[in-house]
Amino acid sequence: MPDRFESESRKLLGRLRDTMASEAAGQERLDQITHLTADSMGTEVCSIYLFRDEETLELCATQGLNAESVHQTRMKLGEGLVGRVARTGKIINTANAPSARGFRYMPETGEEIYSSFLGVPIQRLGEKLGVLVVQSKTAREFSADEIYALEVVAMVLAEMTELGAFVGEGAALRARHTQPVLIRGATAQEGTAEGHVWLHEPRVVVTNLVGDDPETESLRLNEAVENLRVSVDQLLAGATRESGDTEQVQVLEAYRMFANSKGWLRRMEENIDRGLSAEAAVEKEQSDVRARMLQANDAYLRERLQDLDDLSNRLLRILTGQGAQTGAALPENPILVARNIGPGELLEYGRQLRGIVLEEGSVGSHAAIVARALAIPLVVNAKRIQAEALNGDHVMLDGDQGIVHLRPDDTVVSAFRDKMAMQAKAQERYASIREKPAITLCGKTIRLDMNAGLMADLPSLENSGAEGVGLFRTELQFLVRSQMPKRNELASLYARVLDAAKGKCVVFRTLDIGSDKVLPYMKAQDEPNPALGWRAIRVGLDKPGVMRMQLQALLRAANGRPLSIMFPFVAQYEEYTAARAEVDKALAREKKLGHAVPERLEIGAMLETPSLAYACNQFYEEVEFLSIGGNDLKQFFFAADRENERVRRRYDTLNISFLTFLENIITRCAATNTRLSFCGEDAGRPVEALCLAAIGLTSLSMRPASVGPVKHLLRRCDLDVVHKIIHDARDAGEQSVRPAVMEYLRGLS
């Protein structure tokens, strides 16, 4: 790279630093930047366009175009060359702008006399903020060095915008992180919460963008990279020693590959040579690689973005000293905001959290499982939440609708608090019937159990009014550890669960891993469709040692007390008989060792696949109880992935075809006197629960908070009437019974 350009680049950055340090107002700073950029690059025009909303750009400053067009010229995302740069995030460099694809003439700007055009996006780690443009009368394409110089200015603009350097009048110059923001995500755990943002990984803020001494900055960078490499090597050695060839090890291998990349370090050193500080050099390289990866068609490369971001943030924390632990205290009523979070980290926060918002995640993720166990509202796929939120921000979380109100205005606050007050009042009403049975107006009694997965759930057994635990998820104890738990540890835990239940029935579901629940110490399976792959009972039968260990732990935990065990994801009779044989072996071994065996042992299965509904009669005669796993069964019945937001809400549980299918299962169980229950999210939704009870399901298992609302509605309804409504809707050719049932409910006093 020519020394002359390095000198010019540093000179431009120095002038930008002076502008940043000045006490000028936001508009004046923008004007100064356009002037010095045009002067430094030898162009007649330099213009800055910033977003005034998600779809609209506004000309906020210019050197060379008509001054009257500032804050008057606006364009939609994708409109004109500037709009194209903003939409695609790609640079446009053309010698003949009027003939370029997408060019739009803005007569008020007076730009018709300028032929050359160079536009670069103003963005910060993928967040689009605007577009920086230079233009000249001479028809020419700009050089690579000139493009780099403009990219550096754009980066400085992005950082200054983040730091609030351009606050002024109008929507485009409003202060960041101060306006109300509505973010729509997906519901992973229902409920509402109000509180203050707590960022799981606080954003690293780079305040010194310009480096005076390239040698000093390069030395700082190399020392930080060496520290990073050592820390990654230590993490990798520890992970390999504890767990062997696992997904965790593969991620750390990717980290080490990035950390030891000579090209990565060389590009950051080149950024320093051109005048950036070590921190700014890291962030510019992170943004550049991010932009390239996001445009790649290779899904693997796009997935490596997370590795790059994690590694770059680690390096920035070393350089700035801004550790993940800032020393700040958890705010009052904390609502956790993160890109994603593991179950172990979430459990460390525990019940002190009021809510959780994740930028990524899924309704079946580890975090969702723990959030349900802790009864904490959770919204996932909340895009941009990390970029928008600051620690301590007021936030309202509507887990029922999958909506996050960040820094809400008074109108939203009032409406939201009204909703929370109504829910609190309803909870008081539910508390009054806590000890009463769920007896309908027609005299039928419906058993209401709760789902659990942690010891922390068990107090809800008494407080919620549930009659027992219809599903205890045993995989959580495996998911939150870095290595396989020992048999005696599990036996002790299961014994405490039975103790806490105080004689009420607890149904233990054996290890349900695979699909979206991958153990950190087991090798991840590269499967095209994990939900239909190697999971649950299939893993247990292929790795019988793990199943036997868990069965022995359950038998020892019972210590002579009654015990109920349920196998997940059974798809055919042979799988049940094979699993049952393992129970018999474990039971025989315990007897041989002289250990107490359960006074009553019940072995059941979850019906989560349509195939099991059509199993042979021998299966229904042999199995002691069945639990319909509504979440999986519904997605397989409708061929609609419940992790896919485009289709998961497309099909209604109260669809006639699905209810008819469930009725066939109920009929088969009645014929063989097989106890049947329904477990899943729909069991905890009062209208759905009412219809399930009306078609003949007498036992439902749900999250503890749903027991009260479901019981309240059941006690007010006549199941015979609802049953007739369902069959009348079927005879009339209706697709769903929901409209007819809702009309009946509206008529209740």
Side-chain angles (χ1 to χ4, degrees):
M1 183 185 306
D3 291 340
R4 184 198 66 77
F5 180 75
E6 290 178 14
S7 175
E8 288 298 318
S9 177
R10 284 196 292 272
K11 189 184 297 183
L12 173 58
L13 280 168
R15 295 171 72 185
L16 284 171
R17 180 175 59 188
D18 293 341
T19 300
M20 288 188 287
S22 73
E23 296 182 0
Q27 183 64 57
E28 187 179 349
R29 279 177 168 165
L30 283 174
D31 294 339
Q32 290 174 358
I33 289 172
T34 58
H35 177 78
L36 70 88
T37 302
D39 181 61
S40 177
M41 295 192 65
T43 61
E44 291 92 345
V45 174
C46 177
S47 304
I48 297 171
Y49 298 82
L50 299 175
F51 279 103
R52 60 178 286 113
D53 58 49
E54 290 186 13
E55 296 294 325
T56 311
L57 287 155
E58 182 177 301
L59 176 61
C60 291
T62 186
Q63 168 71 28
L65 299 183
N66 291 338
E68 294 77 11
S69 63
V70 174
H71 298 303
Q72 301 303 314
T73 296
R74 294 170 187 169
M75 60 195 70
K76 291 295 183 183
L77 190 65
E79 182 182 10
L81 299 185
V82 173
R84 273 182 57 201
V85 173
R87 179 174 56 81
T88 64
K90 295 181 180 179
I91 294 168
I92 293 181
N93 179 14
T94 176
N96 189 352
S99 66
R101 180 173 62 87
F103 174 80
R104 185 192 168 195
Y105 172 52
M106 298 287 192
E108 71 273 15
T109 65
E111 63 180 329
E112 67 274 9
I113 62 175
Y114 303 108
S115 180
S116 299
F117 176 98
L118 173 61
V120 302
I122 302 171
Q123 55 188 359
R124 186 178 187 273
L125 303 180
E127 184 188 4
K128 297 175 180 178
L129 303 173
V131 178
L132 176 62
V133 175
V134 291
Q135 295 170 273
S136 64
K137 295 177 182 178
T138 306
R140 68 182 182 91
E141 288 193 357
F142 291 87
S143 69
D145 286 341
E146 289 172 315
I147 293 172
Y148 182 91
L150 201 63
E151 285 183 308
V152 169
V153 177
M155 176 186 174
V156 172
L157 281 167
E159 291 296 337
M160 291 174 72
T161 300
E162 176 72 15
L163 295 170
F166 305 124
V167 176
E169 294 184 9
L173 297 185
R174 64 179 179 267
R176 288 173 58 75
H177 310 301
T178 59
Q179 301 297 312
V181 179
L182 169 65
I183 296 177
R184 297 185 182 276
T187 297
Q189 169 63 19
E190 297 167 345
T192 55
E194 178 181 5
H196 299 90
V197 168
W198 178 255
L199 293 170
H200 180 57
E201 294 179 335
R203 185 165 41 250
V204 177
V205 179
V206 177
T207 55
N208 59 320
L209 298 169
V210 183
D212 290 322
D213 183 352
E215 289 187 8
T216 299
E217 295 300 315
S218 183
L219 181 62
R220 290 180 62 230
L221 175 67
N222 278 273
E223 288 178 349
V225 169
E226 185 58 35
N227 288 338
L228 177 69
R229 288 171 176 168
V230 170
S231 68
V232 171
D233 285 343
Q234 290 172 343
L235 286 171
L236 181 59
T240 303
R241 185 170 56 251
E242 290 182 13
S243 54
D245 185 16
T246 67
E247 185 179 24
Q248 181 184 8
V249 171
Q250 292 170 2
V251 168
L252 290 171
E253 286 281 11
Y255 279 9
R256 185 161 68 175
M257 179 186 72
F258 273 123
N260 288 279
S261 168
K262 293 180 180 178
W264 185 55
L265 180 58
R266 185 189 69 250
R267 290 189 296 273
M268 291 188 291
E269 288 177 330
E270 288 175 355
N271 289 333
I272 289 174
D273 288 339
R274 286 172 157 174
L276 294 179
S277 67
E279 293 91 333
V282 173
E283 192 161 284
K284 185 176 189 309
E285 172 62 11
Q286 183 181 5
S287 291
D288 291 347
V289 177
R290 229 180 179 281
R292 291 197 299 272
M293 283 186 167
L294 284 172
Q295 293 166 15
N297 292 324
D298 190 332
Y300 174 80
L301 285 178
R302 291 197 301 271
E303 288 171 2
R304 297 280 67 79
L305 266 178
Q306 183 171 330
D307 300 340
L308 167 71
D309 285 340
D310 285 345
L311 199 68
S312 298
N313 289 336
R314 284 173 182 265
L315 186 54
L316 284 170
R317 292 190 192 286
I318 293 171
L319 283 165
T320 63
Q322 298 175 33
Q325 301 301 322
T326 63
L330 217 60
E332 184 181 3
N333 297 323
I335 291 182
L336 183 74
V337 172
R339 182 180 62 204
N340 219 331
I341 189 169
E345 293 172 300
L346 190 51
L347 281 170
E348 287 180 10
Y349 285 106
R351 294 184 185 274
Q352 62 186 323
L353 297 177
R354 291 293 178 267
I356 308 163
V357 186
L358 299 181
E359 194 156 308
E360 298 175 355
S362 66
V363 295
S365 65
H366 301 166
I369 293 168
V370 174
R372 290 187 197 112
L374 297 174
I376 299 173
L378 167 63
V379 172
V380 297
N381 289 325
K383 303 303 181 188
R384 298 176 23 254
I385 185 67
Q386 284 198 119
E388 291 285 358
L390 294 178
N391 268 340
D393 276 345
H394 184 202
V395 61
M396 288 178 150
L397 172 63
D398 188 339
D400 302 328
Q401 303 295 322
I403 292 174
V404 181
H405 298 281
L406 187 62
R407 300 180 291 270
D409 59 30
D410 291 344
T411 304
V412 171
V413 170
S414 177
F416 196 93
R417 286 178 178 168
D418 285 346
K419 177 178 180 177
M420 293 183 69
M422 290 176 63
Q423 290 178 335
K425 190 173 181 179
Q427 288 298 328
E428 292 176 9
R429 185 166 62 245
Y430 304 147
S432 68
I433 60 172
R434 181 184 301 150
E435 305 302 325
K436 297 179 180 179
I439 301 178
T440 65
L441 293 180
C442 55
K444 296 183 177 68
T445 301
I446 308 301
R447 180 185 174 92
L448 302 182
D449 289 326
M450 59 169 264
N451 302 329
L454 296 167
M455 277 300 299
D457 286 320
L458 271 300
S460 298
L461 183 54
E462 184 175 346
N463 299 333
S464 67
E467 298 180 53
V469 178
L471 167 66
F472 190 90
R473 305 180 185 92
T474 61
E475 59 270 10
L476 288 178
Q477 289 73 45
F478 289 78
L479 288 168
V480 299
R481 296 168 180 256
S482 59
Q483 58 187 7
M484 185 75 72
K486 294 180 171 58
R487 180 177 56 196
N488 62 338
E489 294 173 336
L490 290 178
S492 176
L493 172 72
Y494 300 152
R496 294 201 305 274
V497 170
L498 290 170
D499 292 341
K502 298 178 181 178
K504 292 184 177 180
C505 179
V506 178
V507 177
F508 290 92
R509 183 179 69 185
T510 60
L511 192 58
D512 185 3
I513 57 170
S515 184
D516 51 14
K517 299 188 285 288
V518 180
L519 300 183
Y521 42 85
M522 286 183 68
K523 184 176 182 179
Q525 303 299 309
D526 185 15
E527 297 181 298
N529 192 338
L532 298 175
W534 194 60
R535 53 175 292 200
I537 190 68
R538 299 167 183 176
V539 177
L541 293 176
D542 289 352
K543 290 187 171 291
V546 177
M547 178 185 283
R548 288 167 191 160
M549 182 268 287
Q550 187 179 25
L551 291 174
Q552 289 166 6
L554 285 165
L555 292 170
R556 292 182 187 182
N559 194 27
R561 291 175 286 188
L563 179 64
S564 295
I565 299 174
M566 178 166 63
F567 291 107
F569 208 65
V570 176
Q572 59 184 2
Y573 175 40
E574 289 81 1
E575 289 173 337
Y576 173 76
T577 56
R580 181 67 193 247
E582 291 295 339
V583 176
D584 293 339
K585 291 177 187 175
L587 197 60
R589 186 173 186 272
E590 292 303 294
K591 289 179 179 177
K592 187 175 181 180
L593 292 172
H595 295 156
V597 296
E599 65 179 54
R600 186 178 72 256
L601 179 61
E602 294 182 315
I603 308 298
M606 291 203 77
L607 196 158
E608 299 169 274
T609 63
S611 63
L612 200 62
Y614 300 101
C616 59
N617 282 335
Q618 287 95 321
F619 168 72
Y620 282 89
E621 290 167 354
E622 287 184 24
V623 71
E624 284 154 309
F625 65 92
L626 283 173
S627 181
I628 295 173
N631 297 343
D632 266 326
L633 183 62
K634 189 167 71 171
Q635 76 167 338
F636 298 142
F637 183 83
F638 289 113
D641 185 356
R642 66 190 182 104
E643 302 291 342
N644 187 333
E645 288 301 312
R646 289 185 174 181
V647 299
R648 81 183 189 98
R649 297 183 185 275
R650 192 182 187 97
Y651 302 98
D652 191 356
T653 303
L654 302 187
N655 185 290
I656 286 292
S657 61
F658 189 58
L659 292 179
T660 301
F661 179 69
L662 294 180
E663 282 189 314
N664 291 336
I665 298 171
I666 294 167
T667 300
R668 293 203 69 181
C669 288
T672 55
N673 200 28
T674 304
R675 195 167 78 251
L676 178 66
S677 65
F678 186 100
C679 173
E681 293 173 11
D682 289 318
R685 297 185 173 118
V687 177
E688 283 83 342
L690 173 65
C691 293
L692 293 173
I695 63 172
L697 282 159
T698 58
S699 179
L700 306 173
S701 189
M702 63 203 69
R703 65 189 183 105
S706 296
V707 174
V710 169
K711 184 185 291 187
H712 175 70
L713 183 60
L714 288 173
R715 288 173 57 87
R716 297 171 60 223
C717 293
D718 186 323
L719 296 187
D720 293 334
V721 173
V722 179
H723 183 267
K724 185 177 185 304
I725 290 171
I726 292 172
H727 281 265
D728 286 348
R730 176 188 297 151
D731 294 341
E734 299 292 339
Q735 178 170 298
S736 172
V737 306
R738 190 176 297 276
V741 171
M742 292 306 296
E743 184 177 348
Y744 161 75
L745 292 176
R746 282 191 288 270
L748 295 179
S749 56

